[in-house]
Amino acid sequence: MDNRKIHSQELQETVSADEERLLKDFFQAQQQDIEDNGFTTKVMRQLPQTSSRLSTLWTIICVLAGIAFLYFTHALQGLSTSMSGLKTELLSIHPTAGGMAVVFICLATLTVAGSYSFFAKENF
């Protein structure tokens, strides 16, 4: 990699860090607490929670659809058969491409589910 590119990247990172620090300092200095006798809290409690309810409803519908899909396609039986075959193949010396595909699919599914769980947090 060219030294100019490395220097430019380091400079850009330094400038970004300085800008973030300046913005943080500015907003902390400008922060004001206004006494409202609990008015803001009361208003926030009165706001509708429809987005939260719709999100929960959508999650329930998707989970039920997934369970129905697994039930009607007998996918769990196929997965059980694949996993028992995978166990045998992993214990053998020469695993096949099909067995490795099952491992890859399982790991990919777990990665996607874990990533969704991590990024779905509100405070991320």
Side-chain angles (χ1 to χ4, degrees), residues 45-101:
R45 286 184 185 153
Q46 295 297 322
L47 292 175
Q49 298 294 327
T50 56
S51 63
S52 176
R53 290 180 188 145
L54 288 176
S55 175
T56 303
L57 180 63
W58 180 247
T59 302
I60 291 170
I61 289 171
C62 288
V63 167
L64 291 176
I67 291 171
F69 174 79
L70 292 174
Y71 177 76
F72 289 117
T73 60
H74 304 289
L76 292 178
Q77 292 172 350
L79 182 62
S80 173
T81 304
S82 295
M83 294 308 274
S84 64
L86 174 66
K87 176 181 147 190
T88 304
E89 288 186 33
L90 288 177
L91 294 175
S92 71
I93 296 174
H94 304 289
T96 64
M100 296 314 291

Side-chain angles (χ1 to χ4, degrees), residues 21-34:
R21 183 183 48 78
L22 286 171
L23 281 172
K24 186 177 179 181
D25 291 346
F26 172 77
F27 283 116
Q28 282 182 348
Q30 300 301 321
Q31 185 177 5
Q32 298 177 6
D33 290 329
I34 300 173

